Amino acid sequence: MPSPRSRVGDHRVPTVRPDQIPLAVSTYLSTSTGLVDLFDNSRLLGDLVLWANLTQKPDDATSIVNFLVLAIGCQMDDEELAQDYFEYARDKAFSNLSGNLSVTAVQAFTLVTIYMLCSCQINGAFLFFGIAVRAAYSIGIHRTEVNARFGPDVHRQRDRLWKSLRVVDLFLSTSMGRPPATSDVDCTVPYHAAEDNTNDVPDLLHASVQIFLILEGVVTEIYSRRKISLQLTEGISLQLRDWSLRWLKPLKDVLADPTIHDQAQVSGACQILSTYYYAVMLVSRPFLMYELCQRLSDTSEPSPGRTAAPGKLRLADACVDAASLMVDPILDLIQRGALVGRVPILVSLVLGIGLLGGFGRILEKYTRMSIQALDHCSKHDTHARQYSLIAQSLLTTALESLEKRELQERMRRTESSSQLFGLIPCDADMVSMSPASQTNTHAPSPAPNPRSRESLDRSFLQHNGLQGMASPRFGDLDAAFLGISDSLLQTPDASYWGGNIGWEADSGSALNLFALLDAGGGIDLAHHL
């Protein structure tokens, strides 16, 4: 089998097969759309095919960029070849840094960053991206008046290159919790300027940069200062609502029918929607954690409306709802095969926390869906595998806590019903007396059998089908811990019934419910009440 490299001049240039170009370009666009917009995508495939058919590739910056595009596009199908392309292009990009900087140099190191992001080398991506940013500042890409000197087409390309840098920068800084490398202090490139579209597809780069700018404000105003208030949250929520009014429906329309849009548009729309939901979760997460701590610190059963003010509780609910809405489109696209495995989607573990805090058992379903999506991405992403293991552990802990809480409640209810009918059997030595004790009312009560509580617990577990559960925690629970006392063995007095109906009440005071059942609920109860 021939080596993927052939010696040309003093450099070993990787061999490029023209028949591999279409699939590689398609995968590259699916991976990068919504994150960067570096080229004229309508011409990218044709330009790469022409370049690949050259007998000897030119030793210039354009070849470096082309190799990096192919490296990103081949990661899914031929990782060894992709690494070969990447290492060659990265080394050439370094060697060209001593020359004049250009837009191509910024593109090259931005592509190096994306490749390393997709191969889970996030620290390396962070370092290489710093080179791309400094090169961009050096040639004035952050100033739209400088970009305008190169004509309309180059002006648009340079403006969009700066927006791409902002998106990648904020993606990296948010994911890693590090300060951004770019700033708008000296920037004049407009982020909200409308561009003429030739079709109904939304401008994904504009949608992406605008939501990431809001996300930057969340990180700066809340997490960097470690302070939050309802007033601050209200201002950020207004920005998110404005973004939602502008972009949410167009993006959802793209995801609603992936068959009429290309894979790159679908993947990019999913990436941007995930970022929007992540921004909602990030701004409301402190309120969710506050509510969770309140509920877990309370020994009684959680009461959603009792532990938090209405405004705080609504924000906690919004955090859980955003996480649920984030899972749906991702898993749907995975099941349709419309989402590539290496797309760097921001993820969260909010669902497991919501389940643990008692925000609804339906969250168990969404948590399992999120784990399924992470497992799909973990085929190519070690970070996704790590998140999946954390989510599984959190799900297990949440379910154990809910089962324990529900068992306690069930035992309390069983105590109440057992006073009526003696549902739970008990040891004979606990309820019977010797003949001497029956004749002598002043005889002391027998000492409690130390095994009585254990037998009572076991009978309850067997009655409810819990004795054979895999978790050993239920078998040795003390009855007092579960809320059961010796009152189970006592006969209830008349006050237990509420005082309205006594044991010797006449037939006229009783309420015949069988007539109500037979009549299908249509009986008049006025004269009974």
Side-chain angles (χ1 to χ4, degrees):
M1 182 176 179
S3 172
R5 289 181 183 264
S6 61
R7 187 172 295 276
V8 177
D10 295 331
H11 304 283
R12 300 183 63 194
V13 183
T15 301
V16 179
R17 292 172 49 188
D19 60 316
Q20 296 177 330
I21 301 297
L23 179 59
V25 171
S26 175
T27 305
Y28 162 77
L29 292 175
S30 297
T31 303
S32 62
T33 300
L35 194 62
V36 295
D37 186 359
L38 306 179
F39 316 105
D40 183 352
N41 294 336
S42 62
R43 298 176 49 188
L44 181 60
L45 177 58
D47 291 345
L48 275 174
V49 170
L50 290 175
W51 170 80
N53 284 315
L54 294 176
T55 304
Q56 183 173 349
K57 307 295 186 295
D59 187 14
D60 57 7
T62 301
S63 291
I64 295 174
V65 169
N66 290 343
F67 275 119
L68 288 170
V69 169
L70 294 179
I72 297 171
C74 292
Q75 273 186 303
M76 292 286 296
D77 302 306
D78 193 338
E79 192 167 355
E80 183 178 355
L81 181 61
Q83 185 69 17
D84 206 33
Y85 289 154
F86 171 74
E87 291 178 354
Y88 171 79
R90 179 198 58 197
D91 296 343
K92 292 292 293 181
F94 267 123
S95 65
N96 286 355
L97 273 178
S98 58
N100 294 327
L101 293 176
S102 63
V103 168
T104 311
V106 180
Q107 293 172 333
F109 283 101
T110 304
L111 291 171
V112 169
T113 302
I114 296 174
Y115 179 91
M116 301 191 79
L117 269 177
C118 293
S119 58
C120 301
Q121 304 175 58
I122 192 166
N123 282 310
F126 185 80
L127 295 176
F128 277 103
F129 184 71
I131 301 176
V133 170
R134 290 305 176 187
Y137 275 122
S138 299
I139 59 178
I141 290 180
H142 62 298
R143 306 284 297 184
T144 192
E145 62 272 18
V146 174
N147 299 336
R149 299 175 184 175
F150 297 90
D153 293 339
V154 178
H155 180 197
R156 179 180 182 275
Q157 180 192 21
R158 288 168 65 102
D159 278 3
R160 294 179 73 82
L161 178 56
W162 174 255
K163 296 172 188 176
S164 300
L165 291 175
R166 288 290 280 153
V167 170
V168 176
D169 185 29
L170 294 174
F171 180 91
L172 280 171
S173 61
T174 303
S175 302
M176 304 180 70
R178 298 177 181 176
T182 58
S183 171
D184 290 332
V185 173
D186 193 37
C187 171
T188 58
V189 174
Y191 296 120
H192 297 273
E195 296 185 6
D196 295 332
N197 291 329
T198 57
N199 49 42
D200 296 332
V201 178
D203 190 325
L204 298 181
L205 181 63
H206 270 160
S208 183
V209 71
Q210 289 171 25
I211 190 59
F212 268 109
L213 289 174
I214 299 175
L215 194 59
E216 182 184 32
V218 174
V219 174
T220 302
E221 298 295 328
I222 296 177
Y223 289 91
S224 296
R225 300 179 179 179
R226 304 185 67 83
K227 293 181 179 180
I228 192 169
S229 64
L230 291 177
Q231 291 78 10
L232 177 60
T233 306
E234 182 179 359
I236 298 175
S237 67
L238 179 60
Q239 299 178 47
L240 289 169
R241 287 199 302 272
D242 290 342
W243 186 94
S244 175
L245 290 173
R246 172 66 180 87
W247 296 107
L248 191 59
K249 186 179 185 304
L251 294 174
K252 282 185 170 291
D253 289 343
V254 173
L255 299 181
D257 192 358
T259 59
I260 63 176
H261 299 91
D262 60 49
Q263 190 179 45
Q265 295 170 344
V266 173
S267 180
C270 182
Q271 165 78 26
I272 297 166
L273 271 181
S274 299
T275 306
Y276 162 68
Y277 291 131
Y278 183 78
V280 174
M281 287 185 281
L282 207 60
V283 71
S284 56
R285 187 177 64 178
F287 299 96
L288 174 64
M289 299 308 297
Y290 172 82
E291 177 69 8
L292 177 68
C293 292
Q294 290 288 97
R295 296 187 181 193
L296 293 183
S297 63
D298 192 351
T299 56
S300 62
E301 187 177 0
S303 178
R306 174 169 52 86
T307 58
K312 295 179 180 179
L313 184 59
R314 287 178 62 190
L315 287 165
D317 286 332
C319 189
V320 175
D321 292 339
S324 303
L325 292 169
M326 180 178 177
V327 172
D328 273 329
I330 294 176
L331 189 59
D332 181 62
L333 293 177
I334 288 175
Q335 293 173 345
R336 297 186 186 189
L339 192 65
V340 297
R342 290 188 183 271
V343 177
I345 298 176
L346 292 167
V347 296
S348 176
L349 301 175
V350 168
L351 292 169
I353 294 176
L355 181 62
L356 181 63
F359 281 82
R361 286 299 293 261
I362 188 62
L363 295 181
E364 178 184 351
K365 170 188 173 183
Y366 286 103
T367 305
R368 295 188 186 279
M369 290 168 61
S370 68
I371 293 173
Q372 183 180 349
L374 288 170
D375 287 341
H376 170 81
C377 296
S378 67
K379 299 173 184 177
H380 307 283
D381 189 339
T382 55
H383 292 154
R385 179 59 180 166
Q386 182 182 12
Y387 276 114
S388 175
L389 292 175
I390 296 173
Q392 291 176 44
S393 177
L394 186 57
L395 175 62
T396 301
T397 302
L399 291 178
E400 289 177 352
S401 177
L402 290 175
E403 288 173 1
K404 180 179 178 180
R405 191 181 305 154
E406 291 173 357
L407 179 61
Q408 292 174 347
E409 174 61 20
R410 187 67 262 162
M411 293 289 277
R412 284 194 292 266
R413 293 177 181 271
T414 303
E415 175 184 1
S416 177
S417 62
S418 182
Q419 293 185 30
L420 295 178
F421 304 110
L423 294 177
I424 299 179
C426 54
D427 292 344
D429 57 353
M430 288 293 294
V431 294
S432 62
M433 290 185 173
S434 63
S437 64
Q438 293 178 2
T439 58
N440 185 5
T441 58
H442 300 284
S445 301
N449 187 343
R451 300 288 297 172
S452 61
R453 289 178 182 267
E454 180 181 353
S455 302
L456 183 62
D457 295 343
R458 185 180 298 108
S459 63
F460 177 84
L461 295 173
Q462 292 172 346
H463 175 73
N464 289 276
L466 298 174
Q467 186 68 27
M469 292 185 66
S471 177
R473 63 189 182 282
F474 294 124
D476 300 322
L477 286 177
D478 185 81
F481 176 72
L482 295 174
I484 290 186
S485 64
D486 290 339
S487 62
L488 278 174
L489 307 178
Q490 301 172 359
T491 301
D493 56 19
S495 62
Y496 179 81
W497 298 89
N500 293 328
I501 303 178
W503 291 108
E504 298 178 357
D506 58 26
S507 59
S509 64
L511 178 61
N512 183 7
L513 294 180
F514 291 96
L516 178 62
L517 297 175
D518 294 339
I523 190 172
D524 185 9
L525 300 178
H527 63 284
H528 291 290
L529 302 178

